[in-house]
Amino acid sequence: MTRNRPIRGAVFVASLLASAFLGYLALRHVEWTATAHALGRTNYWWLIPTVALLAVWTLVRALRWQWLFRADARPPLGSLTKATIIGLFLNNILPARAGEAARVVALRSYAGTSVAESAATIVVERLFDVVGLFTLLFVLTPWLPHVTWLRAAAYVALGALALGFGFVGFAAFVERRWGGDHRLGSALASVVHGLAAVRRPGQAAIAFGWTIASWLVLGIAFWLLSAGFHLGLSPLAGMLVAISVGVSFLIPAAPGGLGVFEAAGLAATAAYGVSTSRALAYVLVLHAVSLIPFLIAGVVVLVLSAPRRRPAQRLSTVRKSV
């Protein structure tokens, strides 16, 4: 545990620096008076359909996660949804998207799913998200304005894909080489099971379909909220904001993606000629509505159905205390 502290500290510092740097770049030319005026003119009734669609998005993400598991051992949708909410809750209060690890632990508690298998499915999730986002961007490019940040985003995405496919290839190699070793067999089997969606084309196609659906729902939600700010943006603009924010999730950042989220949202709206000061009002409220409902939902889930340690874990704890 002590040996990991320098690594965790370095990740924490890097996350804060990334947020601070990107936030500074995004906000350095803002006229705060214009932003305050835009916030005052906003029709906040548009928050209602936006929050409703974010709830649908959460359910779709849980469904996508379910399809990443092998058919004979899929956790219940209720357990996956609660673990997803806990992950989103902790992503909003911890840096570097630490909630991803938390939802693995939560799912272990709710459904008894192997930690190694769940962790492998999350790696596959990131692969599907990156491929899905850039598939949408490629398909929509003829109807989108020129975006100057696309090349940089492509490099980040390619790096994430390389790491992800490297993990998949390494796991497959180790399973073939040492899969029969009883010391490694159980953990390796769990990891390989978690990679089921990349080894079965039919299952991969369904999971990828849910991935695309999740980003489409998010894009519509972002567009609906923009209507309350009188920005005159089209549904395609909402999709571009969702794609930009989705790519920004690949960058380790402060809790809730502070700074990085704002930079991504402003980069997308700038492509439509919206001034930074006016767009910032929209992006700030969008960020708030992407945080607060999940903070509330996370507290509710933790209070009503807090993850419990399994009997073996409790027995181990008792033995250590004795």
Side-chain angles (χ1 to χ4, degrees):
M1 185 68 69
T2 304
R3 289 178 297 178
N4 292 333
R5 286 179 181 173
I7 297 176
R8 292 200 301 268
V11 171
F12 177 75
V13 171
S15 300
L16 294 183
L17 289 175
S19 284
F21 177 68
L22 291 174
Y24 165 75
L25 291 180
L27 304 179
R28 66 189 188 279
H29 297 310
V30 169
E31 296 178 5
W32 294 99
T33 303
T35 300
H37 179 68
L39 287 169
R41 294 181 59 250
T42 299
N43 181 355
Y44 289 100
W45 286 106
W46 286 99
L47 289 171
I48 296 175
T50 302
V51 172
L53 279 178
L54 286 176
V56 174
W57 174 80
T58 304
L59 180 60
V60 172
R61 299 290 286 188
L63 279 166
R64 191 274 298 270
W65 194 12
Q66 189 177 48
W67 272 96
L68 295 179
F69 290 90
R70 52 200 166 105
D72 60 342
R74 283 181 184 142
L77 183 60
S79 298
L80 289 162
T81 303
K82 289 188 291 185
T84 298
I85 291 171
I86 288 176
L88 291 168
F89 168 76
L90 290 175
N91 276 340
N92 290 333
I93 62 177
L94 296 175
R97 298 190 62 79
E100 301 301 332
R103 67 183 171 116
V104 168
V105 176
L107 187 61
R108 168 72 173 176
S109 176
Y110 288 135
T113 307
S114 161
V115 169
E117 184 171 354
S118 297
T121 62
I122 288 178
V123 173
V124 177
E125 267 194 348
R126 297 287 77 77
L127 291 175
F128 278 33
D129 278 334
V130 172
V131 174
L133 287 168
F134 277 85
T135 297
L136 284 171
L137 190 58
F138 176 77
V139 171
L140 297 176
T141 291
W143 299 278
L144 294 175
H146 176 67
V147 283
T148 57
W149 47 265
L150 179 57
R151 179 175 296 181
Y155 288 143
V156 173
L158 286 173
L161 284 173
L163 289 173
F165 282 116
F167 169 79
V168 172
F170 177 74
F173 168 76
V174 173
E175 193 274 337
R176 287 195 303 269
R177 180 65 178 82
W178 292 289
D181 190 327
H182 295 296
R183 294 170 298 177
L184 299 174
S186 177
L188 284 172
S190 296
V191 171
V192 172
H193 287 324
L195 302 176
V198 296
R199 296 185 295 115
R200 297 182 174 91
Q203 183 177 344
I206 294 173
F208 187 70
W210 282 117
T211 299
I212 296 296
S214 73
W215 290 112
L216 290 174
V217 169
L218 196 65
I220 295 171
F222 286 8
W223 168 64
L224 287 175
L225 184 62
S226 74
F229 290 83
H230 315 291
L231 300 179
L233 299 177
S234 68
L236 286 177
M239 281 306 311
L240 185 59
V241 174
I243 291 169
S244 181
V245 169
V247 173
S248 76
F249 288 165
L250 299 173
I251 302 172
L258 184 65
V260 175
F261 188 105
E262 281 71 23
L266 291 174
T269 53
Y272 286 89
V274 181
S275 70
T276 300
S277 302
R278 286 186 62 207
L280 180 61
Y282 161 64
V283 173
L284 288 176
V285 174
L286 180 63
H287 198 176
V289 82
S290 300
L291 292 177
I292 296 172
F294 293 114
L295 292 176
I296 296 171
V299 171
V300 170
V301 169
L302 288 172
V303 170
L304 298 182
S305 57
R308 299 175 181 176
R309 288 183 296 181
R310 301 179 66 78
Q313 292 175 306
R314 292 198 295 269
L315 179 60
S316 174
T317 302
V318 171
R319 286 175 177 172
K320 288 180 180 178
S321 63
V322 173

